[in-house]
Amino acid sequence: MNNVLGIDVGGSGIKGAPVDLEVGDFAEPRLRIPTPQKSSPKNVAAVIKEIIEHFSDSIGDSPVGVSFPAPSRHGVIRFIANLDQGWAGLNAEDYLSDKLGHAVTMVNDADAAGLGEVHYGAAKGVPGVVILTTLGTGIGTAILNDGILLPNTEIGHLEIDGYDAEKRAASSVKDKKHMSYKDWATKRLQRYYEVVEMLFSPDLFVVGGGVSKDHAKFFKYLNLETPIVPATLFNRAGIIGAAWQANWRIEHPDSVNRDTARETAEKAIRAAGGED
Ligand code: BGC
C-alpha cells in the first residue's frame, strides 16, 4: 500500500506527513509551514500544495486527508470559529481536490484525532462511549461508540453557565489569562467535563491537543466519575486520523451519497400524507 498523506491545518501551523497505515505512524518526518496570516482557502491551499510537492516521491497519487478546525459535512465547511471566514459554506473537498489534483477528504480536526486514537492509540479496543477532547485554541470533540465515530459533534461549543464552553476552558484561555494548571483545572475544566459527563455518560475521556503532554500537571485536580487518559499519539493523531479516513473513503467509494438522506426524507413525507 502507498503511504497516504495526512495534513493538519491549525491556527499557527500547517503540518503534513505521509502515513504508513499498516503501523499507524509517519513514514517520514513531518513538514510544518506557518499558517498564512490570512488563512483563506486560497492561501491554505498553496501551503498544502507545497507540502504535497515536498513528499511527492513517497505519496504518488495517494488521496490526501485534511484535518481541519471546523465541522465538515461531506466536505462542506458549515461554520468556522478560529480561521478565515472565507471557508464557511465552501465545499472544501471539491475546492482542494481541484486545486491540488489529489482526492481530498476533509475531516474535523478532533474527529481526525479520535480516528487516530481509536485505530492506533489510547481508545483502541475500548468498548462503549469514548469522548476525545482536544484542548488548544478551542475545544474540539470526537464521540465514538464501540469504535464508530459520530462526526462533527462540536460540544466544545456547549453553552455552559452562559458562555461558549471553549471561551472559558480551552488551553488558549489558560495561557492568555496566565492561569496556573490548578486554577484552570478546578475553575474551568472541572465544570466543562462534569457537564459533558452528565449529558453523555461516557466510559472514557481521552484528552488531546498540545497541552495533553502536561497531563500530569492537571488531571490530578479533576474530580470525575469517568476515567480520563491522555491521547497517546499526541500531536500526530490528527495527521494519522485524516490519512486513515482518506484511505477509508477510497476503499468505500459509495459511502457518501449526499442525496440519499434528502430523498429518503421526501419519500417519508409523501408516504405520511396529511392535510394542510
Ligand atoms: C471548532 C471545532 C474544532 C475545535 C478545535 C472549535 O472552535 O468549532 O470544529 O474541532 O475548535 O480546533
Side-chain angles (χ1 to χ4, degrees):
M1 188 202 292
N2 253 346
N3 297 320
V4 174
L5 186 66
I7 303 276
D8 181 3
V9 177
S12 57
I14 300 179
K15 294 134 291 195
V19 175
D20 177 343
L21 292 169
E22 298 288 330
V23 293
D25 209 347
F26 296 173
E28 286 182 53
R30 67 166 205 180
L31 176 67
R32 179 186 189 279
I33 298 176
T35 306
Q37 195 117 53
K38 182 167 170 51
S39 51
S40 60
K42 182 163 167 262
N43 293 349
V44 169
V47 172
I48 299 178
K49 198 173 179 67
E50 225 180 302
I51 297 176
I52 289 178
E53 278 160 12
H54 178 83
F55 291 115
S56 62
D57 286 350
S58 107
I59 62 166
D61 60 359
S62 100
V64 174
V66 177
S67 159
F68 195 74
S72 162
R73 181 160 58 198
H74 310 310
V76 178
I77 303 306
R78 298 192 44 235
F79 62 84
I80 183 148
N82 298 311
L83 284 186
D84 188 84
Q85 290 304 313
W87 290 95
L90 180 72
N91 187 325
E93 240 161 45
D94 288 352
Y95 178 82
L96 291 176
S97 298
D98 188 49
K99 282 244 180 260
L100 304 172
H102 285 250
V104 170
T105 295
M106 300 298 288
V107 192
N108 168 262
D109 56 0
D111 286 345
L115 289 169
E117 292 294 331
V118 83
H119 291 292
Y120 307 105
K124 187 169 177 186
V126 177
V129 175
V130 176
I131 300 189
L132 175 134
T133 57
T134 60
L135 304 173
T137 309
I139 296 182
T141 57
I143 301 185
L144 300 131
N145 184 30
D146 289 341
I148 307 285
L149 175 74
L150 170 68
N152 296 319
T153 46
E154 294 294 323
I155 57 171
H157 293 295
L158 275 178
E159 188 178 315
I160 301 177
D161 304 329
Y163 295 94
D164 180 359
E166 74 169 24
K167 297 270 180 318
R168 301 270 298 165
S171 65
S172 60
V173 177
K174 167 190 164 303
D175 297 343
K176 226 176 287 156
K177 294 196 174 296
H178 307 290
M179 296 173 89
S180 65
Y181 276 103
K182 185 175 181 189
D183 277 357
W184 177 51
T186 55
K187 297 186 178 149
R188 303 290 173 97
L189 286 181
Q190 173 66 30
R191 179 83 181 124
Y192 178 66
Y193 283 115
E194 74 194 20
V195 170
V196 173
E197 189 169 63
M198 188 272 284
L199 292 173
F200 294 93
S201 304
D203 295 291
L204 179 71
F205 281 125
V206 179
V207 178
V211 77
S212 66
K213 65 181 184 323
D214 293 335
H215 58 93
K217 296 185 182 154
F218 61 95
F219 278 11
K220 60 186 173 198
Y221 299 118
L222 296 173
N223 180 14
L224 301 163
E225 253 177 66
T226 314
I228 185 163
V229 296
T232 53
L233 305 180
F234 291 109
N235 57 5
R236 301 194 312 286
I239 290 178
I240 293 171
W244 186 93
Q245 182 71 8
N247 185 63
W248 189 92
R249 273 281 286 286
I250 296 296
E251 289 178 352
H252 300 81
D254 298 329
S255 64
V256 182
N257 182 342
R258 294 169 195 174
D259 298 328
T260 306
R262 194 174 299 277
E263 281 163 14
T264 309
E266 282 166 5
K267 221 190 279 170
I269 290 202
R270 277 197 304 275
E275 312 277 312
D276 280 345

